[in-house]
Amino acid sequence: MWKFANPIKHPIPETRWPTADESSQSLLFQPIQIGPLTLDSRTWVPAMVPWRATEDGFVTQDNLDWYRRFARGRPAALVVEATGIRDIPSGPLLRVGHDRFLPGLKKLVDTVGEASHGQTKLLIQLIDFLAVKRRPDKAKYFQRFLQITSHHRRTLSELTGDSTWNDAEEKRVRDWLAQASEEIVARVLNDRELEALRFGYRERVTDTQLPHIKDLPQVLPRIFADAARRARDAGFDGVELHYAHAYTMAGFLSALNDRSDGYGGERENRVRLPLEVYRAVRERVGDDYVVGVRFLADEVIAGGNRINDASYFGVEFAKAGFDYLSLSKGGKFEDAEQPKVGQAVYPYTGQSGYECMPTTLSDARGPFGRAVPLVAQIKQAVNAAGFHTPIVATGGITTFDQAEAILQSGDADIVGMARQALADPDWFGKVRSGRGDEVRRCTYTNYCEALDQAHRQVTCKLWDRKELDEPGITLSPDGRRRLIAPDWP
């Protein structure tokens, strides 16, 4: 995990919790309109991946229990985890790439509606991703994965002074490289081959030599639109198009996207496909359905997008007609730590990952609301362009005073809490009823994130070992952790 050179341990901020009367007068609990939908407050639970679906992407009872527990806290809106739009295997993540997933998704919608008494609106995040392979064993990489070329043979000939490498059989080249030193290997392989050896093979939107990557602009609008139609058929109140972090659409927006087909280079070209996807989705679901977007206020990687790019994209998204803009920060592959052999690279281990999910171990600036100043700049740009599209701020937001100040200052229109809502799904109800002193405060150690990295069912260290004998609860496969937070009377 990426670390600060001189880290500072920041305490969880103290707060004075409001009375019920004060909460009722606060901006946090005032209604807001997002497109055709009215939220009864400005409280939001962003998408989190809980690793509870089947290996085939179907809704399970554990999924239903997970979302039911959040809904019982009655946030104004709840965004269902990043859900795959293709009909391809993707592990225990929800999918919406075929109509066969609809019965389970409809049951999920009904579960949230019943648990929240219709108060919590339910959105679903739609995501596309490219291939990412596990880091291979060195011998296996050279024996099975590296494509031997004339460049390798020529380089070996130059390094060794032995011209027979130019006509050597592949097996000889592979066997020799498998035993070669790191220094020699680094001189023989190109940058992408070295990355595949050290981090695992990873596709990029710029790999246009691959037909399926080249054709993404022709394919993705329809796939996203089909998925959005299914979401509407399942009863979701809206969809959130995932254009953030380490996924396909973020790759198109990135300043690192140098495609030469009109979909890369200048930011006017980089935003082209995201807008085409939006228009296809909007045409499919109609104007009376919520379509939002999640994108990055800053990529936090060398050569990546910065706030000026994000402000430009925000204005373009508002102009196109998105019903809300939800902002995040970082979470990229480019600066991720090297994984162990047999594991996949994880995009939340470098500096960009820290900025996405900061912890109490931080720099002098501290972890709380770290992205809010960027969100405020994007909101200012959108408003200055004449649009009033609601803006969602997320990242290290934990107390009532902090959330209320963000809204009162005009830095954002809606406040999202993911890790704090995981720590205490009843945060919203407790604060609204004047019982904020009963809130279970997130300590921002990223225990939950470590479980996510290991693809284990996500829980919170503040409650997953509590009351394990409570009747009716579901435990993790090893029987050592409960999978949902304890009840609040």
Side-chain angles (χ1 to χ4, degrees), residues 250-263:
F252 275 93
L253 286 174
S254 177
L256 299 180
N257 171 17
D258 61 358
R259 288 177 67 120
S260 59
D261 58 355
Y263 289 95

Side-chain angles (χ1 to χ4, degrees), residues 67-205:
Y67 288 105
R68 178 188 292 110
R69 187 65 187 87
F70 285 109
R72 285 169 53 195
R74 300 192 188 181
L78 174 57
V79 184
V80 168
E81 66 203 71
T83 302
I85 61 172
R86 296 179 188 260
D87 193 13
I88 58 173
S90 51
L93 303 174
L94 290 180
R95 285 160 54 188
V96 66
H98 190 276
D99 285 355
R100 68 179 180 278
F101 297 108
L102 286 179
L105 293 171
K106 288 178 179 178
K107 192 170 184 178
L108 176 55
V109 170
D110 292 341
T111 296
V112 168
E114 179 182 354
S116 69
H117 299 280
Q119 181 173 315
T120 296
K121 305 304 181 185
L122 191 62
L123 312 172
I124 187 169
Q125 191 177 72
L126 304 181
I127 187 171
D128 183 67
F129 47 86
L130 301 178
V132 179
K133 304 295 185 181
R134 299 176 188 272
R135 179 188 169 191
D137 172 81
K138 182 180 178 182
K140 183 180 294 186
Y141 174 76
F142 284 115
Q143 294 301 329
R144 294 177 53 187
F145 300 130
L146 178 65
Q147 182 178 352
I148 303 300
T149 67
S150 60
H151 165 78
H152 300 128
R153 291 186 170 90
R154 184 171 61 252
T155 304
L156 282 176
S157 178
E158 294 170 355
L159 288 174
T160 63
D162 181 356
S163 62
T164 62
W165 284 114
N166 290 314
D167 300 309
E169 293 183 355
E170 273 199 15
K171 185 178 186 307
R172 181 188 172 199
V173 176
R174 294 183 185 280
D175 290 345
W176 195 89
L177 287 173
Q179 301 299 319
S181 68
E182 289 295 314
E183 180 182 0
I184 293 295
V185 167
R187 296 178 67 178
V188 174
L189 304 188
N190 64 33
D191 289 344
R192 290 295 295 276
E193 291 166 343
L194 269 176
E195 179 188 271
L197 170 62
R198 295 173 175 174
F199 289 81
Y201 172 77
R202 176 170 65 87
E203 292 179 344
R204 295 164 166 79
V205 301

Side-chain angles (χ1 to χ4, degrees), residues 35 74 80 95 112 196 218 254 278 380 419 436 438 460 466:
R74 300 192 188 181
V80 168
R95 285 160 54 188
V112 168
Q218 288 70 52
S254 177
Y278 165 74
Q380 291 170 7
R419 286 174 291 175
E438 299 178 33
C460 175
K466 308 289 186 182

